[in-house]
Amino acid sequence: MMIPGHHVAAWRHPEAEAKSVLDFKFYKQLALTAERGKFDMVFLADGYAVHERYPEALEQTVNVRPEPFTLLSALSAATANIGLAGTVSTTYNEPFHVARKFASLDYLSEGRAAWNVVTSGSDAEAKNFNLEKHVQHDLRYERAEEFVDVVSKLWDSWDDDALLYDKESARFADKDKVRAIDHKGKYFSVRGPLNVARPIQGHPVVIQAGASEPGKELAARTAEVIFTAWQTLEEAQKFYSDVKGRLARYGRSPDDLKIMPGVFPIIGRTEEEAAAKKALFEQLIPEQAGVALLSALISFDLAGYPVDGPLPELPQLSQINGGKSRFQLLKDLADREQLTIRQLYQRIAGARGHREIVGTPSQIADQLQEWFENGAADGFNIMPPYLPGGLDDFVDLVVPELQRRGLFRTEYEGATLRENLGLRRPADFTATELAKQQQEQAIEQVAVQVAK
């Protein structure tokens, strides 16, 4: 739900709702359309800064968006089945706040909340939170790992049956089923317990998007859905096999994690119509905005380089402090197809590194089916080019084709997002398990002190 569409120039499309970027009625309309199409969830991307490094990006692209918790809470009252996923950074938040807000959203939505865990990616965001430079990549993921652990402990600080509501005995809750977590780690010291009971889903669904080595390891240990970006079937298969293969060492099965690559579909009732739609989008991209977008995605300033020339020599991956996996993906794409800067930004201005598919509803379904049936995806994150038309086309034209093939639901399977994704509910966390975890944590702290 990037408004008014996922393409960088979506707001310029003749049919895009450009003036509705902060209009709740428009978000409600989109959520209900997605629910009519039996989507698992709507997903809000988010960030904590405007793109001011490149003036063209501020002037020529959409830089405003509603705060996810506020919007998703409102949408929870307007929808009945669809999951509500919000992006919240572990770099510029505190675990207690995040645990409490997502637990509350899970209750408001009756079990449909999901948290997209990110580590933020820019100096502009750092400068809005008392820092001059963005935290280093590895340290961001180290903090994120502990952050997710603390949030999970807080969600588990109440047993499922801790609330009694017993008026006769004057017992609202069983004190023996509510406990402090007493977490003391490298980044956080949190006593707990949470002041919201255990969420309806046990834990709201945890989503992650990193494809770097630290990102994949964090996902294998903590994530239940991965949003990822790949250009080819072979790349997607390799990633799918890699991450699923890491789960066993954390006591998890392949079914505990759903991998959902991003897909940017341009749909036409004929091939000619689809091609014409693609050409229109390419014409709508202001050159400066295209260069600014590409610069931001690869964390390297391309201003001043010939736009019809090749990419300049780029830094080594180890020198990149932004999104490492996206940098490598786009560099590989440019090298593989010998693209100029202009050709590269035209390729990624819509999908932004994710896979672009163009064609008729049947052709779109063919490509989704190929990845789904060949070990590259459990599902897809659909990124409509512009809104509402791009979503309407997918729901009205592609979803029926997938349903005819027996590849997609015709009704929701359950009441919660977990049930609809086929994810198990986390077991109730008992006081014994917590004591064991705290003992292990104390042993680790002693070992660290001895090492020092």
Side-chain angles (χ1 to χ4, degrees):
M1 288 182 76
M2 293 185 72
I3 308 298
H6 207 270
H7 195 281
V8 71
W11 69 275
R12 299 187 67 202
H13 191 281
E15 298 172 15
E17 294 273 358
K19 294 182 179 181
S20 298
V21 293
L22 295 173
D23 185 343
F24 173 70
K25 293 188 294 295
F26 187 52
Y27 286 91
K28 177 181 174 181
Q29 172 193 339
L30 296 173
L32 290 173
T33 298
E35 191 167 70
R36 176 169 61 83
K38 310 303 178 187
F39 274 53
D40 296 297
M41 66 185 108
V42 292
F43 160 55
L44 291 179
D46 195 32
Y48 301 141
V50 298
H51 302 297
E52 61 181 4
R53 179 179 176 187
Y54 307 101
E56 299 81 13
L58 181 58
E59 183 173 79
Q60 298 175 346
T61 60
V62 177
N63 254 292
V64 294
R65 64 186 74 183
E67 188 279 321
F69 280 115
T70 311
L71 177 57
L72 293 176
S73 296
L75 288 176
S76 72
T79 55
N81 299 106
I82 197 160
L84 303 168
T87 299
V88 176
S89 172
T90 60
T91 309
Y92 303 118
N93 279 290
E94 289 292 323
F96 192 92
H97 280 141
V98 172
R100 188 183 188 205
K101 290 175 181 177
F102 273 112
S104 299
L105 180 61
D106 208 47
Y107 276 101
L108 288 173
S109 63
E110 298 182 300
R112 295 184 282 132
W115 172 24
N116 181 40
V117 181
V118 300
T119 64
S120 295
S122 71
D123 288 343
E125 290 173 296
K127 290 176 181 177
N128 287 334
F129 293 90
N130 304 308
L131 298 174
E132 284 302 311
K133 296 290 291 181
H134 195 34
V135 181
Q136 286 298 310
H137 187 274
D138 288 351
L139 295 180
R140 297 201 305 269
Y141 274 94
E142 186 178 72
R143 176 188 165 99
E145 189 164 346
E146 185 179 343
F147 193 112
V148 175
D149 283 346
V150 176
V151 169
S152 297
K153 289 178 185 178
L154 287 167
W155 286 334
D156 288 332
S157 60
W158 292 69
D159 287 356
D160 282 329
D161 58 353
L163 293 177
L164 302 175
Y165 312 110
D166 190 336
K167 296 180 181 180
E168 291 298 320
S169 64
R171 297 181 73 209
F172 183 80
D174 184 340
K175 62 180 176 55
D176 294 327
K177 295 184 177 183
V178 185
R179 56 202 155 263
I181 67 169
D182 291 321
H183 176 91
K184 294 187 183 300
K186 179 176 179 179
Y187 295 96
F188 304 106
S189 177
V190 181
R191 181 179 182 276
L194 197 63
N195 57 349
V196 179
R198 195 166 194 254
I200 290 173
Q201 297 184 98
H203 297 177
V205 174
V206 175
I207 302 168
Q208 206 257 336
S212 64
E213 277 304 309
K216 287 188 285 190
E217 205 60 29
L218 177 65
R221 194 168 80 81
T222 66
E224 295 167 298
V225 174
I226 297 181
F227 289 154
T228 185
W230 300 108
Q231 293 289 320
T232 68
L233 175 64
E234 294 72 25
E235 288 173 326
Q237 288 171 322
K238 182 179 178 181
F239 177 82
Y240 187 97
S241 174
D242 180 359
V243 177
K244 295 268 187 174
R246 299 176 189 229
L247 295 173
R249 62 174 171 260
Y250 297 110
R252 307 180 67 198
S253 76
D255 287 338
D256 290 334
L257 176 65
K258 309 299 181 184
I259 296 178
M260 301 174 71
V263 170
F264 177 82
I266 300 179
I267 306 161
R269 285 174 171 78
T270 64
E271 291 184 21
E272 292 75 19
E273 182 183 331
K277 287 184 176 182
K278 176 177 169 59
L280 173 60
F281 277 114
E282 290 181 354
Q283 295 167 16
L284 293 175
I285 307 168
E287 181 179 299
Q288 293 170 317
V291 172
L293 174 66
L294 182 56
S295 298
L297 288 173
I298 65 172
S299 304
F300 184 86
D301 192 351
L302 295 170
Y305 291 95
V307 73
D308 290 312
L311 284 178
E313 185 172 343
L314 297 175
Q316 295 296 312
L317 182 63
S318 60
Q319 298 173 277
I320 297 298
N321 194 34
K324 289 181 180 286
S325 58
R326 193 60 51 89
F327 168 86
Q328 192 65 55
L329 184 148
L330 296 180
K331 182 178 183 300
D332 290 347
L333 174 60
D335 291 345
R336 184 169 61 244
E337 300 189 20
Q338 295 296 294
L339 301 176
T340 66
I341 291 174
R342 186 191 306 277
Q343 290 169 332
L344 185 57
Y345 80 60
Q346 287 177 337
R347 282 286 295 276
I348 61 90
R352 308 187 193 213
H354 294 266
R355 185 182 179 211
E356 178 180 286
I357 51 179
V358 183
T360 64
S362 179
Q363 290 170 332
I364 299 292
D366 286 343
Q367 295 182 69
L368 298 179
Q369 182 170 359
E370 180 186 27
W371 280 39
F372 176 67
E373 292 183 342
N374 288 280
D378 296 310
F380 299 91
N381 182 19
I382 304 302
M383 302 168 165
Y386 74 99
L387 293 165
L391 179 60
D392 291 337
D393 286 346
F394 195 90
V395 168
D396 294 335
L397 302 175
V398 179
V399 167
E401 179 63 26
L402 294 172
Q403 290 170 333
R404 277 193 292 273
R405 300 181 188 196
L407 294 168
F408 193 59
R409 68 168 64 91
T410 55
E411 294 295 338
Y412 285 102
E413 294 85 356
T416 69
L417 177 57
R418 283 188 174 279
E419 291 170 323
N420 291 325
L421 287 170
L423 293 169
R424 62 183 177 86
R425 187 181 187 275
D428 203 345
F429 203 69
T430 67
T432 303
E433 290 168 321
L434 182 63
K436 179 182 176 182
Q437 193 174 87
Q438 289 171 338
Q439 184 180 29
E440 291 171 350
Q441 188 179 75
I443 292 170
E444 288 176 6
Q445 289 173 344
V446 169
V448 168
Q449 291 304 315
V450 170
K452 287 181 178 178

